[in-house]
Every structure is written in structure tokens, then in C-alpha cells.
Amino acid sequence: MRRARASFEPERTGSAIVVDQMSESFPASGGARHADMDEIYAEAEHWHVNTGNETIHAKRIPGRWRTIKWLAASVWLIFFLGPYLRWDGRQAVLFDIPNRQYHLFGATVLPQDFWMLSLLLLFFAILLAVATALAGRVYCGYFCFQTVWTDVFTLIEEKLEGNPAQRRRLDAAPFSLKKLRTKAIKHLSWALIGFITGFSFVAWFYGADKLWRDFFVGDANVAVYAAVALFTVGTYVLAGWMREQVCFWLCPYARIQGVMLDRTTVVPTYDEGRGEPRGRMKKGETEANRTTGDCVDCSQCVAVCPTGVDIRQGQQEGCITCGLCIDACNAVMDKVGRPRGLIRYASLDEMEGKHAPPMFARPRVWVYIAILVIALSGIIYGLSSLTAIDLKVLHERAPLYVQLSDGSFQNKYTVKLLNKTNEDLDIAISVEADVPVTVTRLEDSIPAKHGEVTPGILFVKIRRQDLSGESVPLTFVATAQLPNGSEIKASRESAFFGPTQ
Ligand code: SF4
Ligand code: SF4
């Protein structure tokens, strides 16, 4: 664990100036503030750091970072609402695993296009590394499903069972019908959210409409019921029972993040130089005669911490960078009339008064950005070049060519047509070349089932007098009409071979 030291630097905000002015009049209104602090000190005895052997009942207080946390968490609404989004008359995003087709806003991605998935994974891995290098476990604090679901579960717990002190009392209270009813409602609510989570997850793969039709009448397959059950139980256990202990003790990302942070990483940091020596406020104490630092040792920063970390011990792996301790400490600073920012987002260099280079001046940031741009360009290229039909042409090698009785030469080709649409199509094949060619033994069109590869054989003939060299470049073109009247095409280069001249 590292400890940050710094000289005192009050936060220069409008509200901080007001607070500063208030501190001048502290003795006059000190009685009220001491009354507030007495209350806080009384509850401080309950707050201690996470040892992993008891449930953390974190206190909820409003504040800037709490609001940002909710806004960031609201991104997860896409997870629940996304399967109901329609595009061209069908589910906009559908990962159709049984048919090995993935529909993304009208584009169909088949297994052979999976190189894009590798790029997508690379993109998100690097994005996570960038975010961690710049702002620590910011993903954990604001976006991770474990912290977001836990936040919702504990909010329900608070609504039903009360604040942390009331919850602890209820946990310790003997069995009663009231306790049974409260606990039952809570656990049923958790299980319901777990079920909705599992149902929404499966809807991305099975199709939302079909899932609603099949699930409740028992027509869905076993894998669907198993997946929903697994998610229901998993969500209930991880977000309801294990919650912050997952972040603290189980998550592998917490273990590897240490190698991604450096002295310039901006994380919630306790300003030790300003806060120490910490000490509780005493009756009759004024700003002029106090001998302690700005930390009034109220433990509010520990009280609100969802993982039960004491940020005053320095940056540590249990900290998920959520900023809630900043809100708590700022509220206390407001109460006691001291400037905000005793805990604030800052880098170690900044805390030690060293020059912190701006983000764009760090080579590591540019390397990360370059990899992100390359991965993103590859994904965009891949998506924009997806065709509705895919054509492969294989030239028969044995024999390479045959000479016909009229003196012309003939080559044999096997074409493979992949129909990526949702419709069965009749696909016509034509051949283009710089010399006259005749395509023989080919039906007018090849019937190609949707989502399948359909082979076909064709012969190309060129007259002897038109063969100017050993080979002639050919372009095979596959053309089909969609039910809506639009035409789709795919082409593939190949060659015609004749005798050595
Ligand atoms: S120490 Fe602060 S920033 Fe870290 S997890 Fe706890 S409340 Fe969030
Ligand atoms: S850092 Fe702030 S919230 Fe934490 S104990 Fe000190 S004064 Fe209280």
C-alpha cells in the first residue's frame, strides 16, 4: 500500500470559497456543527474496514459522484431494452447461435467473419487498459455489472430494511413474522431481478418475441431454461449475498490492475499532508487553536465505501474508484466549515506536488489510442464490406483443361455460394473476361438455402484463336434478387488455363 503526502491545497470552487468563509465564523456556529458531528461520531463506531467475514452495509448519501454513478449505471438499460429494438422487421441485434448467424442492424455476420470478433475483444481489452491506466478501476466503480447490480440490490435492501444501523439491528433481531415478511420480500425482489436479468440475456440469443411466446408455455428448449435458471441464481448469489466481497476477494481484475497503474493515474486519494494528524473535533475547539489536520476522524469515508475500504490507508486493491468517499468527505468538510477536497481524484505525483504531464503528453496513452484506432478501423471495414452472398470459385486441376472436338479449350470450376440472407435465393452466375467466353452446363440459377453453402459446377469454354496466352483472367459474378426487388451481387477473381503457347 502506498501513502500519499501533499501540502494543503484547498479546492478552488465557488462552493469551496463559501466554505472557507464559513470557517472564519466557525466558533460562533460551532455548537450546531458539534451537534452534527456528535451524531456522526456516535455512528462511527460501526464503521470498520472490510475483513471479508461480514456483510458490508454501506451508507448512502447524495453527492456528485453518486449521481454520476447512477448515470453511468443507466447504460445497462440497453441490456434490458436492446432485444426489443427492431430493424427491417426483425430483432436489430440477435446472436442466433443454433443457425450460426449474428444479425447486427441488417448486417449478417457468419462464423467466417469472426475475425471481427477478435478485433472487438481486442478493442474492449485495450479500452479497459486505457481506462485503468488513466483512472484506475473506473470501470469497476461505474460500469461493472457486479457493482451496478449490487448497487440496485442494496438500494432495495435499504428501502425495505432501513439504513445500515437498522439493517444490522434487524439481522441481529430474533425471528418474528415482521422480520420474515421483510426478508421474504427482499429475497423475492432480488430473485425477480435475477430472473429478469437471465431472461433478458437469453433474449439476445433466442429472440425476444420467440422467447415470450415459448418460455411461459414450456415450448423453449432445455438450454433456454437452464441459462435463465443459471443467471437467476448467479445474479441472486453474486449481487445479493456476495456483493462487494466479489470485488474485494474474487475479481481477478483487482489483482492485475496494479501493473496498469502508475504515478500519473488519477484515482480517489486522501490528502494525507492536509488531513494528518487526524483527530476528532473537541468542544471549544476553534480553527485557530486546533492541533489536528483537516481529517476529523469521523469514518464517513469508510461508512459509504461499498467495498469497506479506508481510503486513508492509501490506494489499495479493494478500491473500485467509485468516488463515493469523496462525496462523504466533502459533506463532512461542509459541516465543519473546512474546504472540500480532502479526498479527491488526484494522481500520486499531483499529491506530492510534482508536475503531472497532461494526458496527451504521455507516450503510453498514444500507443493505446493507436491500437484502439486500428482495431476500430478493422471492425468498421469488416462491417462495411459484409456481403449478403459470398462466392468462392475452385478451379479443377486434374485435368487443368481439355480440348474439345471443335478445337476450343474448356476448364471446369466448382462454385460455392454462401447465402447470408434470411431467404432462400436463386443465384445466377455469369463470367466476365477480356475475350469471348461460353459458360456451359449451368442451370439458369442455383437454388441457395439461407445460411447454407450451396455448391455448383460449371464449365467455361474459350476458342483457340481467342487464347492469346497460357491463362486468361476471369471474374465470376453471382447475382440474386431479394424479395423486396433489390439486387445483390458478389464476385470472385479466377483464371482460365490453356496449353503453353
Ligand atoms: S475507497 Fe472510496 S473510491 Fe474506493 S471504493 Fe471505497 S468509496 Fe469508492
Ligand atoms: S477523510 Fe474525511 S470522511 Fe474520512 S474520516 Fe477524515 S474527515 Fe471523515
Side-chain angles (χ1 to χ4, degrees):
M1 285 186 296
R2 68 181 201 222
R3 295 178 75 86
R5 287 191 177 277
S7 56
F8 169 64
E9 184 66 39
E11 194 178 81
R12 298 294 175 203
T13 64
S15 59
I17 290 165
V18 174
V19 169
D20 228 1
Q21 288 164 348
M22 284 166 68
S23 68
E24 293 302 315
S25 60
F26 179 68
S29 53
R33 291 212 174 85
H34 276 297
D36 284 346
M37 292 312 294
D38 284 347
E39 205 176 294
I40 286 175
Y41 285 140
E43 69 170 46
E45 309 307 325
H46 298 297
W47 310 117
H48 52 81
V49 293
N50 187 357
T51 53
N53 54 8
E54 66 176 299
T55 304
I56 300 293
H57 287 297
K59 184 175 173 179
R60 280 173 184 271
I61 64 160
R64 179 204 288 175
W65 298 106
R66 164 46 75 190
T67 306
I68 291 173
K69 195 167 158 61
W70 277 129
L71 288 175
S74 64
V75 169
W76 277 99
L77 288 175
I78 295 170
F79 171 77
F80 294 104
L81 303 178
Y84 303 97
L85 194 64
R86 317 298 296 174
W87 190 272
D88 272 350
R90 72 174 177 209
Q91 190 164 319
V93 180
L94 177 66
F95 304 104
D96 185 359
I97 288 179
N99 293 313
R100 297 194 297 160
Q101 294 184 358
Y102 306 95
H103 304 287
L104 304 169
F105 296 96
T108 300
V109 180
L110 291 173
Q112 54 268 48
D113 300 313
F114 264 26
W115 57 271
M116 279 189 286
L117 181 66
S118 315
L119 284 181
L120 196 67
L121 292 177
L122 174 70
F123 178 82
F124 282 116
I126 297 294
L127 192 63
L128 189 62
V130 176
T132 309
L134 298 179
R137 290 175 76 181
V138 68
Y139 163 76
C140 305
Y142 294 92
F143 293 106
C144 175
F145 46 84
Q146 175 63 30
T147 42
V148 170
W149 264 246
T150 299
D151 213 8
V152 174
F153 275 42
T154 51
L155 179 67
I156 291 171
E157 189 173 64
E158 177 145 317
K159 296 286 175 212
L160 292 168
E161 297 182 1
N163 62 34
Q166 292 167 318
R167 265 136 66 192
R168 271 190 293 269
R169 274 201 297 278
L170 184 70
D171 286 349
F175 173 80
S176 69
L177 273 179
K178 186 170 176 247
K179 179 174 176 178
L180 180 68
R181 195 182 65 229
T182 311
K183 292 281 181 191
I185 295 172
K186 179 180 85 173
H187 288 285
L188 281 173
S189 308
W190 286 357
L192 181 64
I193 294 176
F195 172 76
I196 296 169
T197 303
F199 194 85
S200 302
F201 178 79
V202 172
W204 289 93
F205 297 87
Y206 193 80
D209 291 351
K210 196 162 173 295
L211 188 61
W212 276 101
R213 257 193 331 266
D214 295 353
F215 190 87
F216 298 102
V217 292
D219 279 352
N221 60 47
V222 179
V224 168
Y225 292 108
V228 173
L230 192 70
F231 267 80
T232 305
V233 174
T235 308
Y236 173 77
V237 171
L238 289 174
W241 287 93
M242 298 186 68
R243 43 211 210 185
E244 70 290 328
Q245 306 299 356
V246 174
C247 315
F248 210 109
W249 308 103
L250 290 186
C251 179
Y253 178 50
R255 303 288 178 277
I256 60 170
Q257 60 150 347
V259 295
M260 300 186 207
L261 305 187
D262 61 19
R263 300 181 59 85
T264 61
T265 305
V266 175
V267 287
T269 310
Y270 169 65
D271 190 338
E272 191 175 317
R274 177 186 152 189
E276 301 296 320
R278 70 188 74 161
R280 294 195 168 188
M281 294 178 73
K282 299 182 186 73
K283 291 237 167 22
E285 185 183 69
T286 65
E287 286 299 280
N289 67 13
R290 75 177 157 104
T291 54
T292 54
D294 275 357
C295 174
V296 294
D297 204 15
C298 62
S299 296
Q300 287 297 295
C301 47
V302 184
V304 298
C305 178
T307 58
V309 161
D310 184 349
I311 192 70
R312 294 173 299 169
Q313 304 292 326
Q315 187 49 223
Q316 48 215 285
E317 65 185 11
C319 174
I320 56 170
T321 319
C322 66
L324 297 180
C325 53
I326 299 178
D327 284 340
C329 192
N330 282 344
V332 172
M333 290 297 108
D334 287 354
K335 270 195 176 76
V336 301
R338 294 176 191 170
R340 290 179 161 205
L342 178 56
I343 303 173
R344 60 183 185 270
Y345 271 99
S347 68
L348 193 61
D349 274 353
E350 206 181 321
M351 277 293 176
E352 291 180 351
K354 293 184 184 160
H355 168 68
M359 216 174 278
F360 59 82
R362 300 178 205 167
R364 184 158 64 155
V365 173
W366 284 105
V367 173
Y368 283 142
I369 290 173
I371 299 173
L372 282 179
V373 169
I374 290 169
L376 196 62
S377 308
I379 296 164
I380 293 170
Y381 167 77
L383 285 175
S384 61
S385 60
L386 281 178
T387 51
I389 46 177
D390 201 25
L391 171 65
K392 281 196 170 44
V393 178
L394 304 171
H395 186 277
E396 180 79 41
R397 294 276 153 183
L400 197 58
Y401 63 87
V402 291
Q403 187 164 23
L404 303 178
S405 55
D406 63 359
S408 59
F409 292 94
Q410 180 174 277
N411 285 194
K412 182 183 176 188
Y413 300 85
T414 301
V415 293
K416 290 192 172 177
L417 290 159
L418 173 57
N419 176 0
K420 298 183 185 178
T421 70
N422 281 342
E423 316 289 339
D424 294 344
L425 297 173
D426 286 327
I427 303 179
I429 305 283
S430 59
V431 179
E432 296 168 359
D434 289 340
V435 296
V437 296
T438 310
V439 182
T440 58
R441 289 190 57 183
L442 177 69
E443 307 81 6
D444 282 348
S445 60
I446 299 175
K449 281 193 173 302
H450 71 275
E452 289 185 11
V453 176
T454 308
I457 291 187
L458 62 90
F459 297 89
V460 175
K461 191 169 82 173
I462 298 183
R463 292 182 307 175
R464 183 179 191 96
Q465 61 269 34
D466 294 328
L467 261 182
S468 55
E470 199 178 326
S471 68
V472 175
L474 301 178
T475 303
F476 288 75
V477 181
T479 311
Q481 294 272 336
L482 289 178
N484 63 10
S486 60
E487 191 178 76
I488 50 173
K489 278 189 176 193
S491 62
R492 179 71 63 168
E493 302 298 322
S494 186
F496 183 95
F497 294 93
T500 311
Q501 296 291 309

Short mmCIF file of all heavy atoms in Angstrom, two decimals, residues 270 278 294-302 310-312 325 328-330 332-333 342-343, ligand 2:
data_model
loop_
_atom_site.label_atom_id
_atom_site.label_comp_id
_atom_site.label_asym_id
_atom_site.label_seq_id
_atom_site.Cartn_x
_atom_site.Cartn_y
_atom_site.Cartn_z
N TYR A 270 -6.63 10.25 -0.65
CA TYR A 270 -6.72 11.02 0.60
C TYR A 270 -5.49 11.92 0.68
O TYR A 270 -4.36 11.46 0.52
CB TYR A 270 -6.76 10.03 1.77
CG TYR A 270 -6.59 10.64 3.14
CD1 TYR A 270 -7.54 11.51 3.65
CD2 TYR A 270 -5.49 10.31 3.93
CE1 TYR A 270 -7.39 12.04 4.93
CE2 TYR A 270 -5.34 10.83 5.20
CZ TYR A 270 -6.29 11.70 5.70
OH TYR A 270 -6.15 12.23 6.95
N ARG A 278 -4.80 13.26 12.01
CA ARG A 278 -6.25 13.27 12.13
C ARG A 278 -6.66 13.33 13.60
O ARG A 278 -5.89 12.94 14.48
CB ARG A 278 -6.84 12.02 11.47
CG ARG A 278 -6.56 10.75 12.22
CD ARG A 278 -6.98 9.53 11.44
NE ARG A 278 -6.09 9.24 10.32
CZ ARG A 278 -6.03 8.06 9.72
NH1 ARG A 278 -6.79 7.07 10.10
NH2 ARG A 278 -5.21 7.87 8.72
N ASP A 294 -6.94 18.35 8.88
CA ASP A 294 -8.33 18.57 8.49
C ASP A 294 -9.21 17.33 8.66
O ASP A 294 -10.44 17.45 8.67
CB ASP A 294 -8.40 19.03 7.02
CG ASP A 294 -8.21 20.54 6.92
OD1 ASP A 294 -8.08 21.20 7.98
OD2 ASP A 294 -8.18 21.06 5.78
N CYS A 295 -8.62 16.14 8.75
CA CYS A 295 -9.45 14.94 8.93
C CYS A 295 -9.97 14.89 10.36
O CYS A 295 -9.19 14.86 11.31
CB CYS A 295 -8.63 13.69 8.62
SG CYS A 295 -9.55 12.18 8.98
N VAL A 296 -11.30 14.87 10.49
CA VAL A 296 -11.90 14.87 11.82
C VAL A 296 -12.18 13.44 12.30
O VAL A 296 -12.89 13.23 13.28
CB VAL A 296 -13.20 15.72 11.86
CG1 VAL A 296 -12.89 17.18 11.63
CG2 VAL A 296 -14.21 15.21 10.82
N ASP A 297 -11.61 12.48 11.60
CA ASP A 297 -11.67 11.06 12.01
C ASP A 297 -13.11 10.59 12.27
O ASP A 297 -13.38 9.93 13.27
CB ASP A 297 -10.81 10.88 13.28
CG ASP A 297 -10.34 9.43 13.42
OD1 ASP A 297 -10.44 8.68 12.42
OD2 ASP A 297 -9.90 9.05 14.51
N CYS A 298 -13.97 10.93 11.32
CA CYS A 298 -15.38 10.60 11.51
C CYS A 298 -15.77 9.25 10.88
O CYS A 298 -16.88 8.78 11.07
CB CYS A 298 -16.25 11.69 10.90
SG CYS A 298 -15.97 11.83 9.11
N SER A 299 -14.87 8.68 10.07
CA SER A 299 -15.08 7.39 9.40
C SER A 299 -16.22 7.41 8.38
O SER A 299 -16.69 6.35 7.96
CB SER A 299 -15.35 6.27 10.42
OG SER A 299 -14.23 6.07 11.22
N GLN A 300 -16.69 8.58 7.99
CA GLN A 300 -17.76 8.63 6.98
C GLN A 300 -17.27 8.09 5.64
O GLN A 300 -18.05 7.50 4.88
CB GLN A 300 -18.26 10.07 6.81
CG GLN A 300 -19.09 10.57 7.96
CD GLN A 300 -20.37 9.77 8.13
OE1 GLN A 300 -21.24 9.78 7.27
NE2 GLN A 300 -20.49 9.04 9.23
N CYS A 301 -15.99 8.28 5.35
CA CYS A 301 -15.45 7.77 4.08
C CYS A 301 -15.48 6.24 4.06
O CYS A 301 -15.69 5.63 3.02
CB CYS A 301 -14.04 8.29 3.83
SG CYS A 301 -12.94 8.16 5.25
N VAL A 302 -15.29 5.63 5.23
CA VAL A 302 -15.38 4.17 5.33
C VAL A 302 -16.85 3.74 5.30
O VAL A 302 -17.21 2.75 4.67
CB VAL A 302 -14.70 3.66 6.62
CG1 VAL A 302 -14.71 2.14 6.67
CG2 VAL A 302 -13.27 4.18 6.72
N ASP A 310 -10.77 1.72 3.73
CA ASP A 310 -10.43 3.00 4.34
C ASP A 310 -9.41 3.68 3.43
O ASP A 310 -8.23 3.31 3.43
CB ASP A 310 -9.85 2.78 5.74
CG ASP A 310 -9.58 4.10 6.46
OD1 ASP A 310 -9.65 5.16 5.79
OD2 ASP A 310 -9.31 4.09 7.67
N ILE A 311 -9.88 4.63 2.66
CA ILE A 311 -9.03 5.27 1.64
C ILE A 311 -7.85 6.01 2.29
O ILE A 311 -6.85 6.29 1.64
CB ILE A 311 -9.87 6.22 0.76
CG1 ILE A 311 -9.12 6.69 -0.49
CG2 ILE A 311 -10.33 7.44 1.54
CD1 ILE A 311 -8.90 5.61 -1.50
N ARG A 312 -7.97 6.27 3.59
CA ARG A 312 -6.87 6.97 4.27
C ARG A 312 -5.63 6.09 4.42
O ARG A 312 -4.55 6.57 4.73
CB ARG A 312 -7.34 7.46 5.65
CG ARG A 312 -8.41 8.53 5.55
CD ARG A 312 -8.97 8.87 6.91
NE ARG A 312 -9.59 7.71 7.52
CZ ARG A 312 -9.98 7.64 8.80
NH1 ARG A 312 -9.79 8.68 9.58
NH2 ARG A 312 -10.54 6.56 9.28
N CYS A 325 -16.53 8.02 -1.44
CA CYS A 325 -15.87 8.57 -0.24
C CYS A 325 -15.59 10.08 -0.43
O CYS A 325 -15.52 10.82 0.55
CB CYS A 325 -14.59 7.81 0.08
SG CYS A 325 -13.46 7.70 -1.31
N ALA A 328 -18.74 11.76 0.57
CA ALA A 328 -18.92 11.70 2.03
C ALA A 328 -18.02 12.71 2.73
O ALA A 328 -18.46 13.46 3.62
CB ALA A 328 -18.63 10.29 2.54
N CYS A 329 -16.78 12.74 2.31
CA CYS A 329 -15.84 13.64 2.99
C CYS A 329 -16.17 15.10 2.70
O CYS A 329 -16.08 15.95 3.59
CB CYS A 329 -14.40 13.31 2.56
SG CYS A 329 -13.19 14.13 3.60
N ASN A 330 -16.58 15.37 1.46
CA ASN A 330 -16.97 16.74 1.14
C ASN A 330 -18.14 17.20 2.02
O ASN A 330 -18.19 18.35 2.47
CB ASN A 330 -17.35 16.86 -0.34
CG ASN A 330 -16.12 16.92 -1.24
OD1 ASN A 330 -15.01 17.18 -0.75
ND2 ASN A 330 -16.29 16.69 -2.51
N VAL A 332 -18.81 16.18 5.00
CA VAL A 332 -18.29 16.43 6.35
C VAL A 332 -17.53 17.76 6.39
O VAL A 332 -17.69 18.56 7.32
CB VAL A 332 -17.37 15.26 6.79
CG1 VAL A 332 -16.66 15.60 8.10
CG2 VAL A 332 -18.17 13.98 6.94
N MET A 333 -16.74 17.98 5.36
CA MET A 333 -15.99 19.24 5.31
C MET A 333 -16.94 20.44 5.31
O MET A 333 -16.68 21.48 5.93
CB MET A 333 -15.09 19.28 4.06
CG MET A 333 -13.92 18.31 4.10
SD MET A 333 -12.74 18.65 5.42
CE MET A 333 -13.06 17.31 6.54
N LEU A 342 -10.53 17.05 0.64
CA LEU A 342 -9.56 16.30 1.46
C LEU A 342 -9.34 14.92 0.83
O LEU A 342 -8.24 14.39 0.82
CB LEU A 342 -10.10 16.18 2.90
CG LEU A 342 -9.24 15.40 3.88
CD1 LEU A 342 -7.83 15.97 3.97
CD2 LEU A 342 -9.89 15.36 5.27
N ILE A 343 -10.43 14.34 0.31
CA ILE A 343 -10.30 13.17 -0.58
C ILE A 343 -10.73 13.67 -1.95
O ILE A 343 -11.77 14.30 -2.08
CB ILE A 343 -11.21 12.01 -0.14
CG1 ILE A 343 -10.92 11.60 1.30
CG2 ILE A 343 -11.03 10.81 -1.07
CD1 ILE A 343 -11.90 10.56 1.85
S1 SF4 B 2 -11.14 11.59 5.43
FE1 SF4 B 2 -12.99 12.84 5.57
S2 SF4 B 2 -14.69 11.42 5.75
FE2 SF4 B 2 -12.80 10.29 6.15
S3 SF4 B 2 -12.56 10.32 8.35
FE3 SF4 B 2 -11.41 12.05 7.60
S4 SF4 B 2 -12.84 13.73 7.60
FE4 SF4 B 2 -14.06 11.90 7.86
#
